[in-house]
Amino acid sequence: MTRIILDEQIPKKITISAARDFSAALIHKLFANTPKPIRPITEHLAKAQGKGVRTAVLLAAALDESEQVPKDTILAATAIELFHMATLVHDDVIDEADSRRGIASIHAKFSKKEAIICGDYLFCVATSTVSSIYEPYKGFAMKFSTAVERVCLGELRQYANNYNMNMNIQEYLRIIHGKTAALFFISAYAGALIGGADEQQAKKIGRIGTFLGMIFQILDDCKDYMLDESQALKPTKTDIAQGVMNLPMLMALIKEPTLRIANPKDLLTIDQLVNEVYRLNGVKDAIIIVEKYAKKIHKMIDTLGNIPKQAALQALLDSQIQLAESFKQQKN
């Protein structure tokens, strides 16, 4: 795989908007120039427009006082988005999901084998992109590999607890700390490091990313109870049908332990579980945990001493708080 090098004409410092656009353009270019056997798959994947939340976290963490970021954030953001895409392709195969981000999933349009190979290929491109900035940012490269490991272990722990109606909240938080928050950590850590922070400061900002990731996953779980597929841009209730335990359900089980005998494999029981979780305020109770993480993030942001960085990270937090509030306001 060829070494990925940015256009020399790109200035050393750019705006967040420009960095996001350059990263998106680089991904599209990579997809358009993949080897012929895989190109139809990557061209289809390019049609799926994600929200780029992890890129937003990385760029916010990299902001300097002049509200700009180094050009190397483009490569770091690209690597993280490519790895995230790889996990989604594999997740859709495992979950047998027919759609993703408003279009047919890779395995639904092509085949499971091709989807798995595509996910593997994306991972290879992601690691190649990381290698492009290895020399100046060895810390990012090393922690990226650790994040990959934690994501994989988190997914395995989740799978091991499928249909485990006796799982506790601590184990759930441990799972999402790996499968979701690890990638948010490396996004924030990488942005801070590339933006000039020392190791201690980069780790501190990385923790903000971790807590944002925890919030993001909890609210994503809440969507199964609060949104339909057209609103969520993904199949809802799929995780419940697959026996994946989530925080709203665990909160409901604490209030109504008799639900632990329910069998999520039963299609009728799935709807009953959703209704019971909703009736028992499982979502609202889960949002209490979200609010606790939000308070931690807010305190940490206040200590950063960089107004543009603080504002950008606070805006990301506020967007999640607004979603949480919208869920709380919906009446049973």
Side-chain angles (χ1 to χ4, degrees):
M1 190 171 290
T2 58
R3 186 176 176 82
I4 300 169
I5 301 174
L6 290 176
D7 189 333
E8 292 183 359
Q9 294 183 352
I10 299 175
K12 291 183 178 180
K13 288 291 186 76
I14 53 179
T15 64
I16 277 185
S17 178
R20 187 183 295 112
D21 290 344
F22 279 126
S23 178
L26 179 57
I27 290 173
H28 278 272
K29 182 180 178 180
L30 289 169
F31 283 0
N33 291 283
T34 54
K36 287 184 179 180
I38 203 169
R39 194 173 302 164
I41 304 176
T42 55
E43 286 177 346
H44 176 73
L45 191 60
K47 298 174 185 176
Q49 296 296 318
K51 294 180 180 179
V53 178
R54 292 151 194 82
T55 290
V57 170
L58 187 150
L59 296 176
L63 268 176
D64 63 17
E65 293 285 0
S66 65
E67 299 187 43
Q68 292 187 311
V69 298
K71 66 185 292 185
D72 282 340
T73 55
I74 299 169
L75 290 171
T78 299
I80 289 169
E81 287 297 332
L82 287 170
F83 176 69
H84 178 54
M85 288 181 192
T87 65
L88 295 182
V89 171
H90 284 169
D91 281 351
D92 287 343
V93 174
I94 294 169
D95 298 340
E96 298 182 350
D98 292 332
S99 64
R100 169 72 66 176
R101 293 175 175 173
I103 66 169
S105 61
I106 299 299
H107 81 88
K109 183 172 178 63
F110 299 92
S111 70
K112 289 184 178 180
K113 289 182 179 180
E114 288 170 301
I116 291 171
I117 292 170
C118 176
D120 292 345
Y121 178 82
L122 291 176
F123 175 69
C124 291
V125 179
T127 54
S128 176
T129 306
V130 170
S131 71
S132 299
I133 51 174
Y134 175 78
E135 285 303 323
Y137 309 110
K138 292 184 177 70
F140 166 50
M142 294 178 68
K143 282 187 168 54
F144 179 81
S145 63
T146 301
V148 170
E149 177 186 353
R150 288 177 177 170
V151 169
C152 293
L153 289 175
E155 291 286 356
L156 283 170
R157 287 192 179 102
Q158 176 177 280
Y159 181 76
N161 280 285
N162 280 3
Y163 303 109
N164 179 10
M165 301 294 279
N166 293 305
M167 189 175 84
N168 58 43
I169 292 173
Q170 289 71 27
E171 181 63 13
Y172 165 83
L173 294 176
R174 183 186 183 198
I175 288 169
I176 69 169
H177 190 276
K179 79 162 196 167
T180 302
L183 211 51
F184 276 77
F185 167 83
I186 194 59
S187 298
Y189 173 85
L193 195 68
I194 295 171
D198 60 27
E199 181 67 13
Q200 183 177 0
Q201 182 77 343
K203 286 181 178 178
K204 179 179 179 179
I205 295 174
R207 286 189 66 211
I208 293 175
T210 295
F211 293 147
L212 275 171
M214 300 294 281
I215 288 174
F216 183 87
Q217 183 60 59
I218 293 170
L219 292 179
D220 195 60
D221 289 346
C222 291
K223 291 176 182 178
D224 274 357
Y225 303 92
M226 309 301 290
L227 304 179
D228 59 30
E229 292 188 15
S230 63
Q231 294 170 311
L233 294 180
K234 66 170 190 173
T236 55
K237 302 183 183 178
T238 300
D239 281 352
I240 300 170
Q242 296 286 338
V244 177
M245 306 305 295
N246 55 54
L247 189 55
M249 184 179 293
L250 293 174
M251 290 297 192
L253 291 175
I254 292 173
K255 291 183 177 179
E256 193 64 68
T258 57
L259 288 175
R260 295 184 191 278
I261 65 173
N263 183 1
K265 295 180 181 180
D266 185 331
L267 292 179
L268 178 61
T269 304
I270 292 170
D271 288 333
Q272 290 174 338
L273 280 173
V274 169
N275 291 335
E276 284 298 286
V277 169
Y278 195 66
R279 180 182 69 82
L280 293 165
N281 288 321
V283 170
K284 291 181 180 179
D285 289 344
I287 289 171
I288 292 174
I289 306 298
V290 165
E291 290 169 342
K292 289 180 179 179
Y293 281 119
K295 287 180 181 179
K296 291 181 180 180
I297 295 172
H298 185 72
K299 288 181 180 179
M300 294 175 72
I301 288 175
D302 283 346
T303 66
L304 294 181
N306 177 313
I307 294 176
K309 193 190 302 289
Q310 290 174 245
L313 289 169
Q314 186 63 48
L316 290 171
L317 175 60
D318 288 344
S319 69
Q320 296 301 304
I321 292 174
Q322 288 170 10
L323 179 59
E325 285 297 321
S326 72
F327 289 162
K328 282 176 63 177
Q329 291 168 11
Q330 292 188 40
K331 296 180 180 179
N332 285 344

